Amino acid sequence: MPTEQTTPVSRRKLGIFAGLAGLAAVLVVVTGIRAREDSAAKLREWTDDQAIPTVAVVQPNAKALSATIDLPGRLEAYSRAPIFARVSGYLKSWSADIGAKVKAGQVIAEIEAPDLDQQLLQARADLASQEASAKLSEATLNRRKTLLASNFVSMQEIDERTADLSNKIAAVKAAQANVERLEVLAGYKKITAPFDGIVTARDTDVGALINAGGGGGLPMFVISDVSKLRLYVNVPQNYVPAIKIGAKAVVTVPEYPNRTFPATVEASAQAVDVNSGTTRMQLGIDNANGELMPGGYASVRLSLQRDSMPLHIPASALIFDQKGLRVATVGVGDKVRFKTVTIARDLGRDIEIGSGLSTEDRVIVAPPDGVAEGDQVHIAGGAAPIGKPAKVSERQDVKG
């Protein structure tokens, strides 16, 4: 009997255990399936998230990165006079060589002009002859007038003698003017300096044949006033409004690499050269010590004055394709918006924008390849200042 009571109890326990085991197995299966589904969902979410690019953005900076512009220039004497001969002849002597300092009116050369001397002698002889003829005509007229009362001469003859005297006086004046002209011309046999300066060129020597006016050849001398110099620069059209008359500039020259010289903008051509697209400007430089040389090359740093601050963005933000020059910005909803821009100045790593952007725009520093209008993007951090873009955060791999 005890054996018969034990057997049903054992079977009942085995049934309960089997049921619990089956339930546990079902729970394990369900839990595994749900875990795999959660893992697959997370993987899909991560994959979709990876498909959206993460970009660094900056906002255009309105701070002027450079308030100056460097341009090449050419130094010229403030006053420069090529000296040509006014009379023809042979050079008799010269007294000022290149580099010599001369004063206004100083004789620097003398020309021997025998032809002119003979013309002057002939003109003076002609003047003396005309004066003698005029005196004879006047004396004859006076004698005829004394005989008029006795009716020995007619009034017609008196009128004729008066007209003859007038002609002789006119001839005297013409001869006198010719003499004076030749005397003035003879004065040009002495070559003088027109102003205080230095002789920067001499292209003649004793005995050289001199042609009046130079005949298209080289000047005999060049006198230059170098106490003050003119500096000419060609300014690109875009920057002309930013360079005012009276603006200051800093000049450097190759012969003094460690020195600078101040200059002032004095004049502008107020016209654009169609060949170069530049406007010529003139600067004045004090050269009282004579350290700078006319004709030399100079590097000029001009100060720019602008009514508004230009915007700057990194050069890497520019996109140039078949649609022109553009930048990619992040708009509402973190979606890509392209904007067409123009460049005012290329400063290397930074670009000065002429138009197309505002300070509120969020510009993508380095647009990823294939980015299109309306694409969704993630922004790495906030908008950073120019030169300090937000760092792209590192992504962690998700294991499925």
Side-chain angles (χ1 to χ4, degrees), residues 1-14:
M1 292 297 293
T3 304
E4 293 178 357
Q5 293 177 353
T6 303
T7 301
V9 173
S10 297
R11 290 177 179 177
R12 190 182 303 115
K13 290 181 178 179
L14 289 173

Side-chain angles (χ1 to χ4, degrees), residues 269-400:
Q270 297 295 321
V272 178
D273 186 344
V274 296
N275 295 319
S276 63
T278 60
T279 296
R280 197 177 200 196
M281 289 192 174
Q282 174 186 304
L283 290 78
I285 304 178
D286 182 56
N287 191 39
N289 296 328
E291 296 174 312
L292 300 176
M293 298 180 291
Y297 167 84
S299 179
V300 187
R301 177 165 292 177
L302 290 161
S303 299
L304 301 179
Q305 302 175 13
R306 299 195 177 187
D307 298 331
S308 60
M309 290 293 183
L311 299 178
H312 299 84
I313 62 172
S316 60
L318 292 177
I319 300 173
F320 185 74
D321 53 20
Q322 67 273 14
K323 295 183 179 180
L325 189 64
R326 301 181 297 163
V327 296
T329 64
V330 179
V332 178
D334 291 344
K335 293 185 177 181
V336 176
R337 295 288 182 269
F338 287 99
K339 291 192 175 183
T340 302
V341 297
T342 59
I343 294 177
R345 272 200 300 173
D346 186 346
L347 302 174
R349 293 184 177 180
D350 297 291
I351 300 296
E352 185 176 297
I353 297 298
S355 63
L357 291 178
S358 67
T359 54
E360 290 78 20
D361 289 324
R362 295 183 294 175
V363 179
I364 299 177
V365 175
D369 294 338
V371 66
E373 181 80 15
D375 284 355
Q376 188 77 32
V377 294
H378 289 311
I379 297 178
I386 286 290
K388 295 182 180 179
K391 295 182 179 179
V392 179
S393 60
E394 297 180 356
R395 302 189 184 96
Q396 296 181 351
D397 294 336
V398 177
K399 296 181 180 180

Side-chain angles (χ1 to χ4, degrees), residues 36 38 94 109 116 122 130-131 141 236 270 296 335 364 389:
R36 291 182 63 85
D38 291 343
W94 57 267
L116 178 60
Q122 182 179 353
Q130 295 296 336
E131 288 175 342
L141 176 60
Q270 297 295 321
K335 293 185 177 181
I364 299 177

Side-chain angles (χ1 to χ4, degrees), residues 16-33:
I16 293 172
F17 179 78
L20 292 175
L23 180 61
V26 171
L27 290 175
V28 169
V29 172
V30 171
T31 302
I33 292 173

